[in-house]
Amino acid sequence: MKYSLLTLFFCHFIFAQTQYPKNDFRPPLDIPMQLSGNFGELRPNHFHAGFDLKTNQREGLTVHAIADGYVSRIKISTFGNGKCIYITHPNGYTSVYGHLQTTVGPIQDYVLKTHYKEKAYEIEMFLKPDELPVTKGQVIALSGNTGSSEGPHLHFEIRDTKTEFVINPIFFGFDKDIKDTKKPTISSVYVYPLENASVNQSKQPLLLNVALQKDGTYLATKVKANGKIGFGISAVDYDDVSFNKNGVFNVATFLNGNQNYNYQFNTYSFDEMRYVNALIDYAKYKKSGQRVQKLFMKTPYALSIIKTDSLRGIIPVKPNLASTYRIEVSDYFGNLSAITVPVEYDAATAIVKAEPVTSKYFIKVNKDANFEKDNMSVFFPAGTFYDDFNLNFDVRNNRIYIHDDTVPVHSNFTITIKDDSYPETLRDKLFIGRFSGNGSSYNGTVRKGDVFTAKSKILGQFGLVLDTIKPTIKIAKPIEGKWITGQKKIEFIINDASSGIKSYNGYLNGKWVLFEYENKTRKITHTFDDAIVAEGANDLKIEVIDNVGNSAIFETHFFRSQPK
């Protein structure tokens, strides 16, 4: 997704106020709406795309269609939103319901039929308007904890059906279900010296002290600088009932009363999600876990929610010119927190020097770059990074060292390793792994002869990893030779310690049967509700294959009587 410079850099900071329908949709749950995550919240590698709705810390709550429409898409995945339903509505919007425990009724019948048709747990279905129509309030699923969920809740989105842009659900009348009288909290303010500037005699970023004023705003320590500077904040928002640290809705900055930087979490595309790593001070986040939202751009990037002036929020501090910088953070309900920062010129020599640069190489954002040593190389296409930077690169001890994960990567770069030291019989068991601590993680690897290539969006140490160990399969409760008539399900723990699991399959009496996979527990589960189990003796076989082709098989047999 690309935007023109005129879209990004203009001096009038007015967000278009689209008139969204306020009364078309009902809440997806029957319980009062409480948020555990809001729209635009900063997440690893993405902005949050909707609301996370609390489900009283349990699964199994009924989930309702928020309006008439039809099920247009169903996706069952071991990661992301897990079990997920998409409903397209006649008013031009699509609602999304994620982390479901199970779908129900005709939807579940359709899903189960597709599992067996495709002989796979992970499936994705796109439906026509007449296949699964739904009515407003119809129960479509039970809430759960599937996919990448960290606890029971319902992930809920609203999208523009044509563009698939996600839209803040608060605009659709759900503000009446959320009570919020609390101001956002700005917990820290940082000032950044840019392009060899200095701030308060430092060439490194500084945390500013702030003091509460009588009018309820805050005043920061005076910034004495020379050259170009920028600011950053750590900020969260609270409502009156959820007590969670949510993301902020609107951030605006003003220089001498003129707005010079603004973003508001109203709507954006999935193509823009990864720009969260450009918005924050990524290095600080990786080192300390703190997300500081930068209020300037060193290099332009195409995040559509940002509106800024021609200087991209950067402030040139010049002699004989004092300035007042103001930061305002507000929520949808108009609760506002503000910090004023006095800025003046100071030619004093910096006492705290910039961090020394030890690297031999330099990356330009808008140019391709290729680095090679010995039998290894890395290629960065133009646009891989957000800012120019000094790159550390080396090859030693059969590993390629590509800087470290304190620099964010926007798009894939390519690693190539040539190695003929392994016999041909083992080369298909090799993959390019990224090393961290005492272990390594799998990268999808392509081999042509003795040349291996892989793509990555994370910098770090890489090298060839040999995996000849098959996955493990352990049954949770032994059933060998037993009558298990009263048992509702069979569970196994499957694992692969090196390249990771690529696929698994279960067979009952020679026929494929559905086993659901939960990645958080590495557990696969078959429930006896699909009428495939036989009366009396049954043979069960589980096969698991890892990403380089090692396979493991577990076989057992049991007896079961079917209910009359």
Side-chain angles (χ1 to χ4, degrees), residues 11 19 50 71 157 174 232 245 271 273 279-280 321 348 350 390 400 434 479 496 562:
C11 295
Q19 296 301 310
V71 177
E157 294 177 21
F174 293 113
K245 293 181 179 180
D271 290 344
M273 290 293 194
L279 180 69
I280 66 172
L321 182 63
N390 294 285
I400 182 171
R434 180 180 179 275
I479 59 173
D496 188 83
Q562 295 295 84

Side-chain angles (χ1 to χ4, degrees), residues 198-224:
S198 65
V199 174
N200 295 351
Q201 295 185 283
S202 173
K203 290 186 174 294
Q204 297 188 27
L206 293 177
L207 175 66
L208 299 179
N209 293 321
V210 297
L212 180 65
Q213 304 299 292
K214 290 181 178 180
D215 63 357
T217 65
Y218 288 84
L219 180 65
T221 305
K222 180 181 289 186
V223 169
K224 297 181 178 181

Side-chain angles (χ1 to χ4, degrees), residues 364-512:
K364 297 284 288 184
V365 168
N366 297 318
K367 292 186 177 181
D368 293 349
N370 189 77
F371 301 94
E372 184 174 355
K373 182 179 178 182
D374 299 335
N375 62 327
M376 301 187 186
S377 65
V378 59
F379 173 69
F380 301 111
T384 301
F385 302 100
Y386 302 113
D387 290 313
D388 300 346
F389 73 102
N390 294 285
L391 173 80
N392 291 312
F393 168 80
D394 199 4
V395 172
R396 59 183 188 274
N397 300 323
N398 295 319
R399 291 189 186 182
I400 182 171
Y401 292 77
I402 311 170
H403 208 77
D404 58 58
D405 190 26
T406 59
V407 173
V409 178
H410 186 70
S411 55
N412 282 319
F413 59 89
T414 303
I415 303 158
T416 301
I417 300 176
K418 180 178 174 61
D419 192 322
D420 60 4
S421 63
Y422 292 89
E424 182 65 32
T425 54
L426 290 179
R427 290 181 186 177
D428 284 337
K429 303 298 183 184
L430 291 165
F431 66 91
I432 294 178
R434 180 180 179 275
F435 296 95
S436 179
N438 295 323
S440 64
S441 56
Y442 175 80
N443 287 274
T445 303
V446 176
R447 179 178 78 90
K448 291 184 178 180
D450 59 1
V451 178
F452 303 81
T453 60
K455 296 184 182 298
S456 178
K457 288 184 179 179
I458 307 175
L459 299 176
Q461 303 176 29
F462 298 84
L464 287 180
V465 178
L466 178 65
D467 179 9
T468 59
I469 301 174
K470 63 184 181 180
T472 59
I473 308 171
K474 295 181 180 179
I475 192 166
K477 182 180 179 181
I479 59 173
E480 179 77 22
K482 296 181 179 180
W483 284 88
I484 59 169
T485 302
Q487 194 167 316
K488 295 182 179 180
K489 59 187 178 182
I490 302 174
E491 296 179 332
F492 291 85
I493 306 296
I494 61 175
N495 189 34
D496 188 83
S498 186
S499 61
I501 293 169
K502 180 179 182 180
S503 66
Y504 70 91
N505 286 286
Y507 302 91
L508 190 58
N509 303 319
K511 295 182 179 179
W512 187 90

